[in-house]
Amino acid sequence: MPMIARAGLTVDAELAAFVEDEVLPGLGLDAGAVWAGASDLFDWAAGQGRALLAVRDDLQARIDGWHEARREQPHDPLATAAFLREIGYLVDEPASFQVATARVDPEVARTAGPQLVVPSLNARFALNAANARWGSLYDALYGTDALGDAPPPGPYDAARGARVVARAKAFLDETVPLAEGSWADLRDPHAHGIVLRDPGQYVGATERGRLFRHNGLHVEVVFDPSTPIGAADPAGIADVVLEAALTTIVDLEDSVAAVDAADKVAAYRNWLGLMRGDLTDTFDKGGQTLTRALAPDRTVMTPDGSTLTLPGRSLLFIRNVGHLMTTPAVRLADGSEGFEGVLDALVTGLIGLHDLRGLGRFRNSRAGSIYVVKPKMHGPDECAFTDRLFDRVEDLLGLDRWTMKVGVMDEERRTSANLAACIHAVRNRIVFINTGFLDRTGDEIHTAMKAGPVVRKGEIKASPWIAAYEARNVAIGLACGLDGRAQIGKGMWAAPDRMAEMMDQKAAHPRTGANTAWVPSPTAATLHALHYHQTDVFALRAGIAARPVPGLDDLLTPPLATGRNRTATEVAEELDNNCQGLLGYVVRWIDQGVGCSKVPDIHDVGLMEDRATLRISSQHLANWLMHGVCTREQVEAALLRMAARVDAQNAADPLYRPMATDPDASLAFQAARALVFEGATQPNGYTEPLLHRYRLEAKRG
C-alpha cells in the first residue's frame, strides 16, 4: 500500500484507512484532530525513547568493561552491587508506599485463577481464549494425560469416562462438600434436595444445573440425564464446568510475527472485533464448517429469586510491544520510523473506547479501564516513560487520568533489580506484575555476556538468581500494596501435551502468593483452575508478606560455569539442542509468519515456542562462542545437522520450505545463523531486529 500524509506524519494507507473507516466511526472524534495529536505524540516519544535506548547501550557497555577487567576474579556480590549503583543501573529504593490503582475489575484485583496469552493475529485462537472463562472439567480430564495416561484412540472409552467422573466428583467433595455423604453417592437426577456443608457456597440455579462458589471461583454442576453421560450417571450429572481463564492477554508482541502495516492492521482488527463483540471466525474441522464467536454472559437464578449475571468471557488485556522497535507503518517528518509501541498505545487506546462507551455487544471492563501489558521495560525510567505516554494518549482521547492501566512484565534484569522503583513509577495505573523466566534468562545471559561462559541451558533453572527473582517479585508486589488492586503472576507452562506434569508442577504457583499464572491453552486453564481451589491465595498472603524481601546478592549472581570445562559430548549435545530449537522456531517465523506455535523439540516433544525461547538459545550459543567453549565451525555444523532434523519434523506440512537442501537459499536458515553469530551485538540480546529484517525480505518475495 502507498504512504499518505497525515498531520506531518507519513502513514501507510492501509493503516490510515483502518483508523479512519473502522476505528473512529461512532467515537465522536475528529480524524484530523486525532492525527494531529498522533503527530505530536510520535515527535515527543522519538526524543525520549531514543534517549532511553541510548542509556541501555551505555550501561551494557560499562558492564561489559567491568566484566572484561575482572574476568580472572571470582564474582563479588558487594563489589558488583556497588559498581551497578555507581553507574546508575541500580537506583535507590523508594520510601515505603502503596499503589493507588482504582477502577480495577475483580478478575484482576480480588480473584485468583489462570491467565491465557494468545496471538492477536489468530482470530480463532483469540476467540477460544476469550471463551475459556468457562471450561468442561470432564473434557479436560478425558482428553489429556491429566489422569496419568493419554486417552485411547477411537470412540468413547467407558472405563476412562468412569475415571473422569470419579475424579470430578472427588473434586466436588473437596471444594463444595455435601452436608452428608459424597457426590458419588448422589442419586437425584433433578438436583433437588442438594444440601451443602456450607450453604453459603450455593450461588443459584443455571439453565443447565446448579452453581457454587469456592475460593472466589465458580463451579457449575450440569444435570442433564438426556445426554449419554448424564443418562449413565445415578444423579444425572452430565458435566462439571469450572470458571477457568479469568483473564486473557491478547498479544501484539512475542507470539506474533507482525513486521509491517498489513500485519499490524490484521492484529488491530481482531482486537477491535473483540472489543465490539462482533469478531467471528469460520473454519473447517473434521469435514464440518464451524463458525466461532464470543460466548454470551451467563445468568443465574439466586435463592432469593433475583437474577445474577456472570461474565461469559475472560477479561481481556492487550499486550503492546516494548520500547525498542520502530515500525515502517508510520514515518516522522525527518523520514525516520515511528516507535511501534507508540502506535500500539494510540490504536489500542482508540479501540478500547468502544468498550468504555458501551458500543459493543458485550462489556470487557465493567470497571471502566483499558488493560495494557507493557513488556521489556528496563528499569524505573522506562516505566515512567510508559506512564507519561499513557498520560498523553488519555489526554488525546479525552479519557480520565489512569483509565489506561499497565501490566509490568518483570522480565529484564534491570527491572527485577529495581522492581519497587518500577512499580512506584506507575503506581497509579499498575494492575499486574509477572515474572517471565524465559526473557529474563535471555537478558541475564546478555547482561553477563563478557563475564564468562554460562552453564548449560538446562542447568540455568537451578541457578540461585532464579529463586531470588521469583520470590522477590511476589514479596515486593505485596509490600507495594498490589494485594486487592493488581495481579501478581507467574510464567508459562510450555508443554501443552503434558498436563499431568503441569498439574504436578504448577500447583506451586498459587502457594507462592501469586494470584495468576500463564497456561498455553483453554484446556490447560481448566485444569490449572483446580490449583486455585486447592490453595486460597489471598488467605496465604499475610504470612508471605511478613517474610523479609530476598536481597540482591543472589539476583545479581550470573549463572557462570566457573572453573568447569565441558566435555566434547556435552558441547555437542548443547549445540544440537540450541540449534534445533532455534531453527524449528525461526523457520515458521520467517517463512510462514507464525509467531508462536507448538514446535517439536529435539526429543519430538511439542513445546510452545515464542521469541523469548529463541532469545535464550541464540544468546546461549553466542556466549559459548565468545568464550571458546565451541567454535564457529562446530556451530555451523550443528545448524546444518539440525536443519535436516527440523525438515524431517515438518515433512507433513505442505507449506513448509526445507532448509537443509539449500541452506544458502533459505532466508530462515540465514536468519538463524545471524541470530547466533550476531547475537552478542544485538541490543540486549533481542531477536526482533533480525527477525523483522528477514521476514520483510521473505514477504517481498
Side-chain angles (χ1 to χ4, degrees):
M1 294 290 288
M3 304 290 284
I4 58 177
R6 288 292 184 270
L9 299 172
T10 307
V11 182
D12 183 279
E14 184 176 1
L15 172 63
F18 170 72
V19 170
E20 294 165 9
D21 299 339
E22 298 181 47
V23 178
L24 288 179
L27 296 181
L29 297 175
D30 176 71
V34 169
W35 286 119
S39 183
D40 291 342
L41 185 66
F42 276 104
D43 285 342
W44 167 83
Q48 300 221 4
R50 291 167 187 163
L52 289 169
L53 294 177
V55 170
R56 290 188 192 181
D57 293 341
D58 178 65
L59 289 174
Q60 185 62 53
R62 294 186 182 207
I63 292 170
D64 286 345
W66 161 265
H67 285 312
E68 286 181 317
R70 299 173 59 87
R71 185 170 295 177
E72 304 304 319
Q73 301 180 39
H75 175 72
D76 183 339
L78 291 178
T80 299
F83 164 71
L84 294 177
R85 201 169 298 282
E86 174 188 328
I87 66 173
Y89 186 97
L90 288 177
V91 302
D92 292 337
E93 290 277 306
S96 179
F97 72 98
Q98 300 286 286
V99 301
T101 317
R103 290 177 291 152
V104 183
D105 287 273
E107 294 94 330
V108 173
R110 299 189 298 278
T111 320
Q115 186 168 66
L116 285 169
V117 183
V118 66
S120 58
L121 279 169
N122 192 310
R124 179 181 171 186
F125 288 0
L127 289 164
N128 288 347
N131 292 341
R133 179 63 173 260
W134 301 88
S136 165
L137 181 58
Y138 278 16
D139 287 350
L141 292 171
Y142 187 94
T144 70
D145 69 347
L147 292 175
D149 55 354
Y156 177 73
D157 182 89
R160 184 176 183 84
R163 292 169 59 200
V164 167
V165 171
R167 175 65 183 90
K169 290 186 177 180
F171 161 75
L172 294 176
D173 286 340
E174 295 160 6
T175 55
V176 283
L178 301 174
E180 294 183 6
S182 165
W183 281 88
D185 301 326
L186 199 65
R187 293 293 184 270
D188 180 2
H190 302 291
H192 299 311
I194 293 178
V195 180
L196 300 181
R197 185 180 302 170
D198 177 5
Q201 289 188 278
Y202 180 61
V203 178
T206 67
E207 182 180 352
R208 305 188 302 164
R210 299 292 184 269
L211 192 69
F212 309 94
R213 185 187 294 113
H214 179 256
N215 284 357
L217 296 173
H218 292 97
V219 177
E220 182 187 24
V221 179
V222 177
F223 291 86
D224 190 353
S226 70
T227 66
I229 303 299
D233 189 271
I237 296 176
D239 203 352
V240 175
V241 176
L242 303 186
E243 192 173 19
L246 297 178
T247 54
T248 288
I249 298 171
V250 180
D251 191 21
L252 293 168
E253 196 229 4
D254 265 359
S255 69
V256 300
V259 300
D260 57 18
D263 293 336
K264 296 297 290 188
V265 167
Y268 292 149
R269 185 173 284 122
N270 284 341
W271 179 242
L272 177 62
L274 290 168
M275 289 298 97
R276 291 194 310 210
D278 58 5
L279 182 65
T280 61
D281 189 57
T282 299
F283 54 94
D284 179 84
K285 186 174 183 179
Q288 287 186 306
T289 299
L290 303 176
T291 297
R292 191 140 297 159
L294 288 171
D297 288 334
R298 295 181 164 226
T299 57
V300 184
M301 184 66 69
T302 64
D304 64 6
S306 61
T307 299
L308 173 67
T309 300
L310 296 175
R313 304 155 307 284
S314 280
L315 179 74
L316 302 179
F317 288 66
I318 183 75
R319 181 159 69 168
N320 290 185
V321 304
H323 293 323
L324 174 65
M325 296 300 292
T326 59
T327 175
V330 177
R331 292 190 179 274
L332 310 187
D334 63 2
S336 63
E337 293 184 354
F339 276 113
E340 187 178 357
V342 174
L343 180 65
D344 279 354
L346 175 61
V347 177
T348 59
L350 276 167
I351 291 171
L353 283 176
H354 287 265
D355 179 56
L356 297 184
R357 296 184 181 177
L359 301 177
R361 182 181 172 204
F362 304 114
R363 295 304 298 267
N364 183 47
S365 171
R366 295 164 311 283
S369 291
I370 300 171
Y371 295 100
V372 181
V373 176
K374 192 68 178 177
K376 296 181 174 57
M377 293 188 289
H378 291 246
D381 287 345
E382 295 196 12
C383 291
F385 172 60
T386 294
D387 192 58
R388 296 192 298 272
L389 171 63
F390 285 8
D391 281 351
R392 286 177 171 258
V393 173
E394 287 166 347
D395 291 344
L396 174 57
L397 303 184
L399 295 172
D400 291 340
R401 183 64 74 235
W402 309 314
T403 295
M404 295 180 70
K405 303 303 193 291
V406 68
V408 174
M409 293 295 301
D410 179 7
E411 58 186 351
E412 307 297 325
R413 195 172 189 249
R414 187 153 54 114
T415 291
S416 52
N418 299 285
L419 183 57
C422 290
I423 294 172
H424 187 267
V426 288
R427 61 192 177 276
N428 293 305
R429 65 171 84 245
I430 188 164
V431 288
F432 166 108
I433 56 173
N434 195 89
T435 51
F437 160 74
L438 298 172
D439 260 309
R440 181 64 179 78
T441 301
D443 192 58
E444 183 73 20
I445 296 172
H446 188 84
T447 304
M449 181 64 72
K450 297 197 175 181
V454 297
V455 298
R456 294 185 71 175
K457 193 165 64 174
E459 297 171 2
I460 292 177
K461 285 188 176 181
S463 301
W465 72 262
I466 291 194
Y469 165 59
E470 295 287 354
R472 280 172 56 88
N473 190 72
V474 176
I476 292 172
L478 293 177
C480 295
L482 269 63
D483 186 39
R485 290 184 180 272
Q487 289 178 325
I488 299 176
K490 295 292 180 182
M492 179 64 79
W493 176 259
D497 296 330
R498 295 191 169 187
M499 291 294 97
E501 193 176 350
M502 185 199 79
M503 292 301 294
D504 179 58
Q505 295 193 26
K506 280 187 86 73
H509 282 168
R511 295 198 292 265
T512 67
N515 62 317
T516 196
W518 287 0
V519 285
S521 69
T523 296
T526 301
L527 292 170
H528 185 41
L530 297 174
H531 296 139
Y532 297 92
H533 289 283
Q534 294 168 359
T535 300
D536 186 343
V537 172
F538 294 95
L540 283 179
R541 281 183 166 177
I544 294 170
R547 302 170 193 165
V549 176
L552 285 170
D553 287 358
D554 283 346
L555 188 78
L556 297 177
T557 300
L560 302 179
T562 306
R564 179 175 179 182
N565 293 321
R566 294 295 180 187
T567 67
T569 299
E570 288 177 321
V571 171
E573 289 175 347
E574 195 71 10
L575 295 186
D576 282 356
N577 183 292
N578 275 317
C579 289
Q580 187 276 338
L582 187 154
L583 287 163
Y585 176 72
V586 169
V587 70
R588 298 184 184 189
W589 214 101
I590 300 300
D591 289 347
Q592 299 183 29
V594 176
C596 181
S597 62
K598 190 167 67 173
V599 178
D601 70 2
I602 199 166
H603 305 295
D604 294 317
V605 175
L607 300 178
M608 296 303 296
E609 300 277 3
D610 67 8
R611 287 200 302 252
T613 51
L614 179 64
R615 189 181 183 192
I616 296 177
S617 297
S618 58
Q619 288 300 293
H620 196 275
L621 287 166
N623 173 268
W624 276 23
L625 276 168
M626 175 174 285
H627 296 285
V629 180
C630 59
T631 66
R632 185 184 181 101
E633 290 72 23
Q634 286 176 301
V635 175
E636 293 275 21
L639 284 167
L640 284 170
R641 191 165 55 249
M642 290 301 104
R645 177 68 180 274
V646 172
D647 287 350
Q649 289 175 321
N650 288 274
D653 181 357
L655 300 178
Y656 184 80
R657 301 174 190 170
M659 296 179 286
T661 51
D662 190 357
D664 290 337
S666 169
L667 286 174
F669 188 84
Q670 298 309 316
R673 290 183 74 258
L675 285 163
V676 176
F677 298 124
E678 300 176 36
T681 60
Q682 290 304 295
N684 302 105
Y686 289 131
T687 61
E688 290 95 310
L690 288 171
L691 287 176
H692 279 229
R693 189 177 88 198
Y694 281 93
R695 174 61 182 159
L696 282 167
E697 187 175 345
K699 290 189 75 172
R700 285 192 291 265

